[in-house]
Amino acid sequence: MEGVHSTSVKGTGVVAGIAYAPAVWVRPRPELPKAGATVPAGEREAEYERFVAAADLVSERLLARSAHVEGSASEVLKATAGMVADRGWRKAARKAVNSGHPAENATVEATDKFVTMFEAAGGVMAERTTDLKDIRDRVLAELRGEEEPGLPEVDGEAVLFADDLSPADTATLDTDHIVALVTELGGPTSHTAIIARQLNLPCIVAVGSAISSIPAGEKVLIDGAMGTITMDTDPEASAERVRESRERAAVVAQWRGPAQTRDGHRVQLLANVAAGNAARVAAEGQAEGIGLYRTEMSFLSASEEPSVDEQARIYRKVFDAFPDSKVVIRTLDAGSDKPIAYATMTVEENPALGVRGLRIANSNEPLLTRQLDAIAQAAEGRGEGATTWVMAPMVATAREAKWFAGLCRERGLIAGAMIEVPAAALMADKLMPHLDFVSIGTNDLTQYTMAADRLSPQLAYLTDPWQPAVLRLIRHTCLIGHDTQTPVGVCGEAAADPMLACVLTGLGVDSLSAASTALPGVGAQLADVDLETCKKAAELALESVGAAAAREAVRELLQG
Ligand code: PEP
Ligand code: MG
């Protein structure tokens, strides 16, 4: 496919699919104002009003755009508009103007203050700094009478390139023309990736500085599964690959569960959710139930622990979306990239290796038991076929597994553990006798196996669940699961990758849980292969020298 002279740049593929079109770049961000100018005292009130007028206009524009799009795109725009209206941010700007700074400088100063705060909080909050800088740039452009930064108008098809896409940009993408997204920064959980998944646009993130070698107007072939951007490819062969990929997308859209391989081997497909609305969306799709309900996501901005009743009310929203099905609910995975004010320690040298997940309960067992009480309360009276499975994150030892399972069983709950610490995988024979099920969290299992921060764009080549080292830990877990008759699921991003789903099935995984939009792609791929081929794919991947080789070997086996 790639010609002799073709050149490729590689990033992390987050949404599969092929596209072939010229590159367009988002309009550059405005230059930040220089320090120095002072507004005379008598003009400061008017200067602040100038800031307010610009901010109001930006907010109104975002809201108007939110009315023209649907779903999470509209929510993102509303949330961004809400940030422009934020009283704290405006107050900080007023303070800066009152001390003599022009509106442009005050905009930057107020934003910097919040960026520093968000960065200090880390994790999910730190990812939101892109939103803040986006607002700053829009207001700056408005103050100067410049065009709003962001998306260019495009005629015909185009692949959109950017350093990082702001939520407002991704939310209003013109999908009649934009056929793929590529960013220098970002990661599998960035806004770009989330929206691309929702729109089903091939998407590659974390390309790094090599992205600048791709000029606007250059025709590029994008492979969202492999994460490659290739220039100088043969136009006809490239167009053929796009046709094949679109045919595949049509097959995927038609796919209906329950999932099984061509020869009838069942694999349960479940959805990952963070709240009731996502669970309701999942229930309308092909999910057979919920495989991971990340409860901590509901409490990221809570300053106090919600009461048992209040928690139960929140959890019930998810249970109600699947009244007669299996729901796997995870106890608080606070800490590290998901700090929760009332649960986590404030300062730790290495939060990813610190007191996170189940470890918080070592010094605060009542926090865990109150959550289990709330889960038991929310699960009361669920339908006939419903099962409520509860699992703990970051379990590392058999002792922790036994302790957690005991607390669950006291409340009549089915007890499990996530396998996301390599020690838990290696000691699976000692953990599993205490548990009713396990679920492999490949995101953290990969991070800890490869000793590479899952949020680092520079290390995306290491934090790749195709790493054979990770797959070997999964194989071991499945073997022990089989011996002890303990169901083994996978609920990390690996479960969303159709080719990797074949490998996981071949390794003996019973259920796969991923974003509900990813499930038809996985189900359609499994329907195309038999169990023997999955086992062969697993062998090839396990014996590969690295992640790229594993992916390539399996691609060759499955696609010929
Ligand atoms: C994982 O680590 O794979 C997982 C599913 O948990 P989270 O992504 O919420 O850490
Ligand atoms: Mg995890």
Side-chain angles (χ1 to χ4, degrees), residues 330 333 338 356 393-394 418 420 441 443-444 454:
R330 179 174 75 183
D333 187 19
K338 289 175 287 196
R356 64 167 290 204
M394 293 296 292
M418 290 197 69
E420 50 185 354
N443 306 335
D444 278 315
R454 62 192 266 187

Side-chain angles (χ1 to χ4, degrees), residues 136-225:
R136 175 198 66 195
D137 293 345
R138 284 171 198 278
V139 173
L140 273 182
E142 187 52 46
L143 283 167
R144 293 172 180 160
E146 291 169 2
E147 241 183 331
E148 253 194 305
L151 298 180
E153 301 285 325
V154 224
D155 294 326
E157 294 193 336
V159 176
L160 189 68
F161 281 75
D163 51 358
D164 203 4
L165 285 168
S166 72
D169 288 339
T170 43
T172 52
L173 277 179
D174 169 7
T175 45
D176 287 342
H177 296 109
I178 301 296
V179 290
L181 304 178
V182 182
T183 61
E184 177 183 347
L185 306 170
T189 59
S190 59
H191 265 296
T192 309
I194 291 166
I195 299 284
R197 242 175 241 130
Q198 193 200 340
L199 298 173
N200 207 11
L201 279 181
C203 178
I204 301 170
V205 297
V207 178
S209 56
I211 199 172
S212 59
S213 64
I214 298 158
E218 177 81 31
K219 264 200 148 183
V220 285
L221 180 69
I222 302 296
D223 185 333

Side-chain angles (χ1 to χ4, degrees), residues 437-525:
F437 73 100
V438 297
S439 183
I440 303 174
T442 47
N443 306 335
D444 278 315
L445 186 61
T446 308
Q447 147 161 283
Y448 296 125
T449 303
M450 304 308 295
D453 183 345
R454 62 192 266 187
L455 296 177
S456 164
Q458 288 83 16
L459 301 181
Y461 72 101
L462 289 174
T463 50
D464 182 336
W466 280 90
Q467 288 287 354
V470 177
L471 298 176
R472 288 175 185 207
L473 288 172
I474 297 175
R475 173 183 55 181
H476 181 73
T477 307
C478 289
L479 287 175
I480 306 292
H482 193 254
D483 284 353
T484 57
Q485 295 187 340
T486 310
V488 177
V490 166
C491 64
E493 284 303 305
D497 175 338
M499 288 200 308
L500 194 45
C502 296
V503 171
L504 296 171
T505 302
L507 290 172
V509 166
D510 304 296
S511 64
L512 297 167
S513 190
S516 61
T517 46
L519 299 180
V522 171
Q525 174 67 66

